[in-house]
Amino acid sequence: MPATQITPSLLRSWPLPMPRPDGDKDVRGHLLIVAGSAEMPGAIILAATAALRAGTGKLTLATGASVATQVAIAMPEARVIGLDETALGGFRHEAQYQLAPLAGKVDAVLVGPGMCDTAASCELMRHLLPLFAGSRMILDAGAMQVVRKPAQLRSPFTFNQPVLLTPHAGELAQLMGLSKDAVLADPHGCAVAAAQRWHAIVALKGALSVLAMPDGSTWTHAGGNVGLAISGSGDTLAGIIAGLAARGAPLEQACAWGIAVHALAGDQLALRFGVLGYLAREIPAEIPALLRHLAA
């Protein structure tokens, strides 16, 4: 099945949901982000900032109790929940009970940026998936490891709800048991195979990004610049996608728009700072104008 290219003309023909002029913050969507750690508190801040710049109206952050106060100060727009942590810096699976009151009340959930302790992250994910079955779910970074560690180790993992995974080539290689070179040699085929294996939407990030659906349909995007290959860039992209999903965009639409906006933000920053040297924290400020331009 041939891939559809993500271009400005495609996006203009695929408009994002827009809130009513008289809408309140609830109309713009409620996003929950479960992310960060004592070692990487910045990851949740980057994702949260990008989500707000993408237009979500209400934001709840859940991060390690040891850094929750710092995150709350950095993100005064958000409610912040401090989760119980493991000795390795992850979140204990009992954190599900702290998040349970939000079930049915959030439009989208992003899990993974900056999380530590793979085993704990997988255990928590097994509880969060059914808990937030009614929300659009985006799994990034450590949260994606759940596909490698199913509850029944002899059974292949599949999702039974809409989920978006956002791996780069190295992550997808690890998740699929392949070499990174094999993924780079056939990004389209690997993304489709992963989407069909796990029954998920898979966004394979890179200079050529491939967005694959379980039914085999795909979109591709080539753009951006090497300046986006920097710490925190993926966290920011995940936040853009999650923010658009919270606004009501289906996961594949939120991802297509997010990939394009992220790449264009890199182009804008390269014009001001050069291809190398701009920061992931500078990407979010570019988002509102780019969304307005693409929608024009």
Side-chain angles (χ1 to χ4, degrees):
M1 187 181 298
T4 301
Q5 289 189 332
I6 299 172
T7 63
S9 60
L10 171 72
L11 298 177
R12 290 188 182 104
S13 69
W14 197 8
L16 292 166
M18 289 295 293
R20 302 188 311 270
D22 61 347
D24 59 15
K25 62 184 177 182
D26 291 310
V27 171
R28 290 173 54 179
H30 186 179
L31 173 64
L32 168 64
I33 303 179
V34 184
S37 62
E39 292 184 3
M40 292 179 282
I44 194 169
I45 295 169
L46 289 170
T49 304
L52 289 173
R53 292 293 191 181
T56 192
K58 195 171 181 179
L59 184 61
T60 298
L61 306 180
T63 193
S66 63
V67 293
T69 299
Q70 294 95 310
V71 170
I73 293 170
M75 294 300 304
E77 301 86 353
R79 173 192 178 191
V80 179
I81 301 170
L83 303 180
D84 295 335
E85 294 163 284
T86 68
L88 296 178
F91 305 144
R92 298 175 60 84
H93 68 84
E94 288 86 357
Q96 64 179 297
Y97 301 115
Q98 294 173 268
L99 300 176
L102 292 168
K105 298 180 181 178
V106 294
D107 300 285
V109 182
L110 167 61
V111 189
M115 285 171 57
C116 294
D117 192 345
T118 297
S121 297
C122 292
E123 179 66 17
L124 178 60
M125 276 309 312
R126 286 194 281 269
H127 295 285
L128 295 187
L129 285 167
L131 185 62
F132 293 102
S135 305
R136 296 176 178 88
M137 293 204 71
I138 301 98
L139 307 190
D140 185 58
M144 295 186 293
Q145 293 291 328
V146 70
V147 303
R148 298 183 65 223
K149 299 178 181 294
Q152 302 297 326
L153 295 179
R154 294 183 180 179
S155 303
F157 186 95
T158 57
F159 293 100
N160 56 12
Q161 64 196 85
V163 171
L164 170 68
L165 305 179
T166 59
H168 55 60
E171 289 171 327
L172 187 62
Q174 183 188 43
L175 295 174
M176 298 185 74
L178 302 172
S179 69
K180 183 177 179 180
D181 288 341
V183 174
L184 292 173
D186 184 17
H188 186 276
C190 289
V192 170
Q196 293 176 337
R197 178 187 297 185
W198 302 316
H199 196 68
I201 305 170
V202 174
L204 175 56
K205 304 177 294 190
L208 173 69
S209 293
V210 181
L211 174 58
M213 301 287 287
D215 65 3
S217 58
T218 56
W219 293 264
T220 60
H221 181 275
N225 56 69
V226 72
L228 289 169
I230 189 171
S231 294
S233 181
D235 305 325
T236 303
L237 173 57
I240 299 171
I241 296 169
L244 296 176
R247 282 175 51 179
L251 287 172
E252 63 272 22
Q253 182 187 27
C255 189
W257 273 82
I259 288 170
V261 168
H262 184 255
L264 288 169
D267 290 339
Q268 290 295 108
L269 290 167
L271 291 174
R272 297 210 302 275
F273 298 105
V275 173
L276 300 182
Y278 61 83
L279 307 177
R281 75 183 73 161
E282 292 164 332
I283 295 172
E286 305 296 321
I287 296 170
L290 288 169
L291 287 173
R292 184 173 65 247
H293 172 73
L294 285 172

